[in-house]
Amino acid sequence: MSYAYLFKYIIIGDTGVGKSCLLLQFTDKRFQPVHDLTIGVEFGARMITIDGKQIKLQIWDTAGQEAFRSITRSYYRGAAGALLVYDITRRDTFNHLTTWLEDARQHSNSNMVIMLIGNKSDLEGRREVKREEGEAFAREHGLIFMETSAKTAANVEEAFINTAKEVYEKIQEGVFDINNEANGIKIGPQHSPTNPSLPSGGQGGMQGGGCC
Amino acid sequence: MEYFKSGLKSVLGAPQPGQQPSGADTVERLIQRVQTSTLLEDRRDACRALKALSKTYRLEVGAHGMDTLCYELVQDRNDSETIGYTLDALCNVLSPETFEEEEERGTDSVGGQFTEIFIKQSQNVTLVLEMLEEFEFHVRWPAVKLLSSMLAHRAREVQELVLTSPMGVSKLMDLLSDSREVIRNDALLLLISLTKGNANIQKIVAFENAFDRLFEVIASEGGLDGGIVVEDCLLLMYNLLRANPSNQNFFKEGSFIQKLTPMLQPGSEDGWAAQRAANCHALLQVLRTLVAPANPAQATSACQQIMRGSGLLGSLSDSLMASGVPADVLTETVCAVAEVMRGCGENQTFFSQVMAPSNPPRPALVVLLMSMVNEKQPLALRCAVLYCFQCFLHRNQDGQAQLAQTLLPATTEQVSGVTSGTLLCGGLFSPDTLTNWFSCVALSHSLVDNPGTKEQLLRVQLAPAEGHPGVHLLPQCLALLQQAQRPQTRLGLLQLLAQWLAHCSAAVGHLLSTPNAVAHLTAVVCDVSEEELVRGLSAFVLGLCVAFNDDAVVSFGRLALVQLINKRIGTEAFLDRVADVTRHEAYAKAAKHPQPTAATVADLLLDHEFCRLLKALENVVARAVAPKPEEVVEQVGSAQYKVLIRQQDEQLAQLSRQLSQVTVERDHLAAQVSQLAAQVAQLRDQNSVLKAAADEGGLQARVAELQQQVAKAAADQEDLLELMDDQEAKLTKYRNRLKQLGEKVEDDDEVEDEVAALTAQVVIN
Ligand SMILES: Nc1nc2c(ncn2[C@@H]2O[C@H](COP(=O)(O)OP(=O)(O)OP(=O)(O)O)[C@@H](O)[C@H]2O)c(=O)[nH]1
Ligand SMILES: [Mg+2]
């Protein structure tokens, strides 16, 4: 299956907020009611369409447990998008957002698109974080915001797709250097760049010697 | 540590009196100089000298200079020349090699012990990782080698340290793009040892675009015709994929399987260079990780589809039939084909249609089986073919039926020539016992979980020689079993029989009506001079005759057999014989993996599928042979109870579910009721206010409207109350049912009281 672009995403946030469930709902359209603690990192992928173009999303679902923090940090650098998830029924997961955001900003490339997600919107009765609070946090830190439910699938597609739209727009605006793989973006095999003067990328050596 | 001290004593403690300073003294003075000199040039010279001495006086440099050298990495990190010497010296000290010029040789774990000391300070490892970012060749290269040495000694610890140092793995990955081949190649070797057995590192390496890099390197080196670097790339890929479902999924989703296919195209015409064989072998191992039987079935099946669709299975089949393929590559190719089609209907069909370019053309499967029953072929290849055939038949009812068909009268006309069926039946009579074993096991796989083929093979007749009357296959197997001396042949036959008899009363009937069969089996089980496995399998076969006995053969009905076993063998002893099999090391080995492997001919005893059968039916046999006295009568009864209990369990679960659902609904309704009550009260208030006002002005219309609203609200409320009554009734019903079923039900009285109170309130209003 050929694609126009490939985007790499990471999903981050406290343990138990529903990161793995969001990914599973997005890739397999299933919900997993039992907490299956993620060990390290798990991979998932799906194709979406934006603006008539096939876009492949490669998603790394990270472990929220503190013990895995140093491992999961290795994934920030190469990602084009990040879903930062909290649980609307657990205020502590919302309170930790600042730490997560600092961590992400410190280790990622500056153009990474971050989508803030308040998950478990189906549990309205147990809500501890108001929707407005999520919105305000997102506004303050320049993030996109959505409330989702990995259980009912509400807004799950939208969360992944809207993040991709944002990345796509940044590409159109020329913000992202699509020839630098460290940005988490690849051009599809059959879609060599429209600009014929761009190098094809097969040339080694450029990256290695850059720093000197 | 003790070792170093004693080692040092022997060097330092026995100075030759009055002679020039010993090497150890020189090392000592150099270390001093690095520590104390204020001039960079001095320190640099001292480091250069230490490097030069670090092979000959490895022990001294390591034992006395380690801390100094580590500190030097920090102190003079901006002077790449000094850093280069320092890293070189450390490389020698930590190296897994023993140097010729080394003075104090003796134990080869010197490097290991120094590594242990070096990594005890975790920042040392971080420092070396930072050195990788230095572009200078004489810094980067020894840094790579130093890491490799550490990994060679202390893989697990170094892996963890790399993981926890910020961006450690990413820094290593960048080395694969280094244009200096030496560095790139050594980095490859480093990554191979770094990724071995550590899933977290494997995933980060994959995330860092390792597969793209590796395919680029392979292409630039000329694909499978390339040098050892290609093999290294493939070994690294293998490490990244083996037993790592996340990376396998990434590999599949990244369309990397499709990149393997063109690599399999036949290479240059001038035959198989040794390196091409090694590369090809490594490539086959890579693709096998994606379809390994231990992987999740769904993942394997997705990869299998892609492998057929992308032409990879076709290319593999072609290379199977090509000439001049080295034996080990051929063996690995057979195993790869096996796993690419295992349990995948379309791929099995595809392969069954592949024809070998022989004269006359024959199906590839038949040609493969010909090598399996040919004792001149290498053992590994014959095992691989058995595996391939087993994978072809795995969950392949059509394939199993076709095999049986080739043995039935309607199709065994002379014209059809050699078929897989005739080859295998022929193999039963071979003087080569391994051929017997292979043929039995292969045939048994046509019977696995297939009632149809079990019946079909009962009709097969064999003519042992021209002009002899035909004998049915099953009695023939029993006859061979009684004649055979060698355990391997007998084990093969017993496993074939076991697959056949399991869940097939007709086959049991055939066995029981074959003269001497029961007597022979019983005798073997009793005979202490027999092989443990032969006795155990004979017992199991006999046990199957009890378990799947439909009492059709009068003399050997179920009860008669049970009594016979008890009298002749003793029930306990009989069951012990069966249990002996599961305790045998051959059982543990065969049960572990579907692929039959053997270092020597004698290793092949049990078949994986048979082990599964034994495991599944061991208890069934035990229960059939040793029913508890009351069980004989009550067996039916208790089975009925079990069904009843299960039904009640289900009912219970369902009712509990309904109960909780209804409770939720009721709570919801109660909330609505109280809301409505509030509304009614409010309207009533408004109404009285308005009534009062109405006297003063023309508000009658408004009043009427409000009265209507009140009436409607009252009606709504009425409806809700009815609904609630309904729910209450249901609740009570379910609760009673649950109580009847013996479940303790918490009384919801409190909630009920509340609702009642609310209801009362509403009614009063
Ligand atoms: N009701 C509800 N439950 C959810 C939702 N999303 C996740 N859960 C539940 O929350 C629990 C944790 O979900 P996971 O997806 O495993 O959590 P995680 O963020 O991946 O946790 P770590 O892997 O430890 O970082 C599970 O029991 C899920 O069933 C949701 O949208 N609604
Ligand atoms: Mg998870």
Side-chain angles (χ1 to χ4, degrees):
Chain A
M1 252 194 282
S2 89
Y3 50 82
Y5 290 104
L6 183 155
F7 298 164
K8 286 186 182 178
Y9 280 9
I10 50 173
I11 313 183
I12 54 177
D14 277 9
T15 181
V17 297
K19 299 181 295 296
S20 302
C21 288
L22 283 166
L23 178 60
L24 191 69
Q25 183 60 258
F26 182 62
T27 57
D28 288 28
K29 306 207 181 328
R30 281 194 293 129
F31 177 67
Q32 152 82 318
V34 207
H35 185 182
D36 198 352
L37 204 91
T38 304
I39 305 296
V41 170
E42 288 302 323
F43 172 81
R46 213 189 100 178
M47 195 79 92
I48 58 168
T49 312
I50 287 179
D51 204 10
K53 292 205 164 58
Q54 296 277 85
I55 295 189
K56 180 134 206 163
L57 298 184
Q58 292 189 332
I59 305 148
W60 277 265
D61 163 36
T62 68
Q65 296 252 327
E66 185 67 40
F68 299 105
R69 208 52 52 85
S70 69
I71 293 175
T72 55
R73 274 195 198 112
S74 305
Y75 292 83
Y76 289 113
R77 184 178 79 159
L83 307 189
L84 171 54
V85 189
Y86 68 92
D87 177 349
I88 65 153
T89 70
R90 276 169 53 209
R91 172 150 302 269
D92 56 324
T93 67
F94 181 76
N95 293 341
H96 294 156
L97 287 178
T98 332
T99 323
W100 281 108
L101 202 58
E102 273 168 15
D103 217 32
R105 290 259 153 89
Q106 189 190 337
H107 294 97
S108 67
N109 73 71
S110 55
N111 290 317
M112 181 167 83
V113 172
I114 304 178
M115 159 79 81
L116 178 66
I117 290 181
N119 188 40
K120 310 200 185 177
S121 62
D122 56 294
L123 299 176
E124 192 54 51
R126 284 166 41 198
R127 179 190 280 277
E128 283 183 10
V129 183
K130 288 208 208 73
R131 191 194 157 79
E132 292 72 24
E133 294 177 83
E135 281 169 348
F137 186 93
R139 212 175 314 117
E140 187 184 334
H141 294 93
L143 317 174
I144 342 172
F145 175 69
M146 284 197 127
E147 284 195 349
T148 60
S149 166
K151 187 174 180 185
T152 66
N155 268 345
V156 172
E157 293 266 327
E158 289 80 352
F160 285 90
I161 290 175
N162 289 355
T163 310
K165 279 185 181 153
E166 190 90 357
V167 175
Y168 185 74
E169 271 165 32
K170 281 196 172 184
I171 294 174
Q172 303 299 309
E173 291 162 8
V175 178
F176 268 123
D177 172 12
I178 43 175
N179 290 302
N180 182 356
E181 269 181 10
N183 282 331
I185 296 169
K186 268 206 272 185
I187 312 171
Q190 274 92 21
H191 300 259
S192 43
T194 37
N195 181 351
S197 68
L198 283 174
S200 63
Q203 221 72 16
M206 280 174 49
Q207 296 100 315
C211 60
C212 295
Chain B
M1 285 311 292
E2 213 36 59
Y3 168 76
F4 294 124
K5 291 198 190 108
S6 62
L8 276 169
K9 239 178 260 158
S10 60
V11 177
L12 299 173
Q16 295 103 327
Q19 301 212 341
Q20 75 266 52
S22 68
D25 292 340
T26 317
V27 168
E28 203 65 44
R29 267 190 290 109
L30 288 170
I31 292 169
Q32 286 271 315
R33 200 140 121 226
V34 179
Q35 282 171 347
T36 55
S37 178
T38 49
L39 282 176
L40 173 62
E41 283 72 25
D42 268 358
R43 295 197 297 270
R44 185 189 298 147
D45 286 345
C47 285
R48 184 192 295 127
L50 276 173
K51 171 198 164 178
L53 292 175
S54 60
K55 282 187 180 172
T56 318
Y57 300 103
R58 175 174 178 174
L59 214 56
E60 290 73 25
V61 175
H64 292 184
M66 177 90 79
D67 288 345
T68 311
L69 290 173
C70 291
Y71 181 66
E72 189 57 16
L73 287 180
V74 183
Q75 173 172 248
D76 286 325
R77 68 178 305 167
N78 292 323
D79 186 59
S80 68
E81 201 182 333
T82 311
I83 297 293
Y85 298 139
T86 311
L87 287 170
D88 278 333
L90 283 168
C91 265
N92 288 335
V93 170
L94 269 56
S95 170
E97 284 173 60
T98 311
F99 304 108
E100 286 203 355
E101 53 271 59
E102 218 169 302
E103 280 228 323
E104 277 294 308
R105 267 187 277 174
T107 138
D108 45 18
S109 66
V110 182
Q113 300 190 29
F114 280 130
T115 300
E116 195 181 330
I117 298 168
F118 185 78
I119 64 176
K120 210 165 256 164
Q121 306 290 317
S122 64
Q123 73 267 24
N124 285 342
V125 178
T126 311
L127 260 168
V128 179
L129 284 168
E130 276 166 19
M131 297 301 157
L132 292 175
E133 287 173 290
E134 188 66 46
F135 184 70
E136 286 293 338
F137 183 81
H138 56 260
V139 173
R140 194 178 272 192
W141 195 38
V144 171
K145 286 193 296 187
L146 187 54
L147 274 168
S148 288
S149 293
M150 292 191 272
L151 277 163
H153 295 299
R154 297 265 150 182
R156 188 77 51 81
E157 289 97 322
V158 176
Q159 285 172 335
E160 285 312 314
L161 288 170
V162 171
L163 260 183
T164 44
S165 77
M167 305 309 285
V169 180
S170 314
K171 281 170 196 153
L172 286 169
M173 277 305 298
D174 292 341
L175 301 177
L176 281 189
S177 313
D178 200 308
S179 56
R180 295 158 298 191
E181 282 191 10
V182 193
I183 290 188
R184 184 197 67 187
N185 296 351
D186 279 355
L188 257 175
L189 296 176
L190 172 57
L191 283 165
I192 289 173
S193 36
L194 186 72
T195 50
K196 198 166 279 165
N198 188 314
N200 283 321
I201 297 186
Q202 291 160 9
K203 289 179 194 174
I204 300 176
V205 170
F207 176 81
E208 294 278 351
N209 304 310
F211 293 122
D212 282 316
R213 285 294 89 72
L214 293 173
F215 276 110
E216 279 165 24
V217 175
I218 291 173
S220 73
E221 296 287 319
L224 288 192
D225 284 320
I228 195 163
V229 177
V230 171
E231 189 183 354
D232 291 340
C233 286
L234 291 165
L235 288 179
L236 178 53
M237 257 190 225
Y238 175 78
N239 273 3
L240 296 179
L241 293 170
R242 208 184 81 88
N244 190 328
S246 183
N247 273 1
Q248 290 167 5
N249 188 18
F250 175 62
F251 194 85
K252 167 175 73 85
E253 290 291 339
S255 308
F256 290 112
I257 296 178
Q258 288 83 337
K259 292 196 174 176
L260 295 175
T261 313
M263 287 172 64
L264 275 171
Q265 298 310 318
S268 46
E269 280 304 301
D270 43 317
W272 283 79
Q275 189 55 52
R276 183 176 163 88
N279 292 346
C280 192
H281 197 271
L283 174 68
L284 291 165
Q285 293 209 307
V286 166
L287 74 87
R288 283 184 66 191
T289 61
L290 301 165
V291 285
N295 290 354
Q298 212 188 350
T300 295
S301 133
C303 290
Q304 286 171 327
Q305 305 285 346
I306 297 174
M307 288 179 177
R308 187 187 68 257
S310 69
L312 189 121
L313 180 55
S315 296
L316 283 176
S317 312
D318 291 347
S319 40
L320 264 192
M321 296 300 138
S323 55
V325 182
D328 62 331
V329 176
L330 184 62
T331 302
E332 195 65 19
T333 311
V334 174
C335 293
V337 168
E339 287 172 354
V340 173
M341 68 177 163
R342 186 170 193 271
C344 172
E346 293 98 328
N347 293 10
Q348 287 161 335
T349 309
F350 176 94
F351 190 66
S352 70
Q353 287 158 2
V354 172
M355 297 300 283
S358 56
N359 193 13
R362 291 199 176 100
L365 261 174
V366 172
V367 175
L368 283 178
L369 286 178
M370 288 165 98
S371 345
M372 186 183 80
V373 297
N374 179 350
E375 58 184 303
K376 293 199 187 69
Q377 294 290 346
L379 177 62
L381 178 65
R382 298 176 74 188
C383 285
V385 173
L386 175 64
Y387 184 44
C388 189
F389 193 66
Q390 292 175 340
C391 290
F392 170 69
L393 293 179
H394 186 70
R395 301 228 188 91
N396 181 2
Q397 299 240 334
D398 292 344
Q400 290 173 321
Q402 277 158 21
L403 174 68
Q405 278 299 326
T406 63
L407 290 168
L408 286 172
T411 45
T412 33
E413 285 150 32
Q414 296 316 93
V415 279
S416 63
V418 187
T419 67
S420 38
T422 55
L423 268 177
L424 295 179
C425 284
L428 298 179
F429 297 92
S430 163
D432 171 36
T433 112
L434 186 58
T435 299
N436 303 150
W437 190 88
F438 276 134
S439 304
C440 287
V441 172
L443 267 179
S444 79
H445 278 249
S446 71
L447 300 168
V448 174
D449 296 331
N450 192 332
T453 50
K454 286 178 189 179
E455 301 271 350
Q456 276 174 312
L457 284 200
L458 285 178
R459 303 207 309 272
V460 169
Q461 290 202 8
L462 302 175
E466 206 70 47
H468 279 257
V471 184
H472 278 101
L473 181 56
L474 190 133
Q476 184 60 258
C477 289
L478 289 164
L480 288 170
L481 181 65
Q482 294 177 50
Q483 291 156 19
Q485 300 295 319
R486 282 161 301 191
Q488 199 167 36
T489 302
R490 296 164 75 193
L491 290 175
L493 288 162
L494 286 165
Q495 290 174 86
L496 171 58
L497 286 169
Q499 284 292 359
W500 208 336
L501 301 174
H503 302 285
C504 182
S505 307
V508 170
H510 275 66
L511 183 142
L512 295 177
S513 43
T514 305
N516 287 332
V518 173
H520 170 77
L521 291 170
T522 320
V524 172
V525 179
C526 291
D527 187 348
V528 288
S529 67
E530 285 283 2
E531 292 263 334
E532 197 178 29
L533 282 178
V534 175
R535 290 176 80 191
L537 262 61
S538 300
F540 182 57
V541 165
L542 206 50
L544 292 173
C545 290
V546 182
F548 301 100
N549 192 318
D550 61 359
D551 290 328
V553 180
V554 184
S555 47
F556 290 120
R558 182 187 284 254
L559 258 174
L561 273 178
V562 170
Q563 279 161 6
L564 177 89
I565 289 171
N566 195 14
K567 211 167 89 213
R568 290 283 320 274
I569 308 167
T571 310
E572 288 290 310
F574 176 88
L575 294 177
D576 278 349
R577 295 293 77 74
V578 179
D580 283 345
V581 181
T582 58
R583 287 192 288 262
H584 200 278
E585 65 179 317
Y587 177 87
K589 180 170 166 276
K592 207 155 75 189
H593 196 279
Q595 179 178 1
T597 49
T600 69
V601 170
D603 288 347
L604 289 169
L605 298 171
L606 296 182
D607 166 53
H608 176 75
E609 207 53 57
F610 169 79
C611 294
R612 290 192 37 189
L613 183 81
L614 177 60
K615 194 165 173 221
L617 295 183
E618 196 188 358
N619 282 331
V620 176
V621 164
R623 244 177 291 127
V625 174
K628 297 197 188 86
E630 67 275 24
E631 222 174 31
V632 183
V633 192
E634 279 192 10
Q635 226 161 21
V636 186
S638 83
Q640 275 171 353
Y641 274 125
K642 269 184 202 152
V643 172
L644 193 70
I645 290 168
R646 197 171 323 119
Q647 279 172 351
Q648 287 186 338
D649 264 355
E650 276 163 23
Q651 228 174 341
L652 211 71
Q654 201 189 358
L655 287 173
S656 304
R657 244 177 289 133
Q658 281 178 350
L659 182 65
S660 62
Q661 203 178 342
V662 171
T663 311
V664 170
E665 275 174 39
R666 189 205 48 196
D667 290 350
H668 193 65
L669 287 173
Q672 256 180 308
V673 166
S674 65
Q675 215 176 12
L676 275 171
Q679 216 179 328
V680 168
Q682 207 183 0
L683 286 171
R684 225 177 272 268
D685 287 350
Q686 272 182 9
N687 197 10
S688 41
V689 172
L690 285 172
K691 243 190 208 152
D695 297 336
E696 291 159 30
L699 283 169
Q700 259 82 348
R702 184 95 179 87
V703 170
E705 196 186 294
L706 281 171
Q707 262 164 352
Q708 247 174 6
Q709 274 181 25
V710 172
K712 187 166 172 294
D716 279 358
Q717 179 193 333
E718 209 47 57
D719 286 352
L720 280 171
L721 283 172
E722 254 172 57
L723 224 94
M724 265 186 61
D725 278 350
D726 237 45
Q727 302 278 7
E728 279 299 322
K730 263 196 230 167
L731 257 177
T732 321
K733 199 173 78 187
Y734 289 139
R735 204 173 280 133
N736 289 339
R737 294 251 301 269
L738 279 171
K739 274 185 191 146
Q740 274 169 21
L741 287 167
E743 187 76 345
K744 258 217 172 115
V745 182
E746 291 164 33
D747 269 319
D748 251 352
D749 285 345
E750 261 176 52
V751 189
E752 253 163 58
D753 288 349
E754 257 179 59
V755 175
L758 271 170
T759 318
Q761 228 177 322
V762 174
V763 176
I764 291 162
N765 283 332

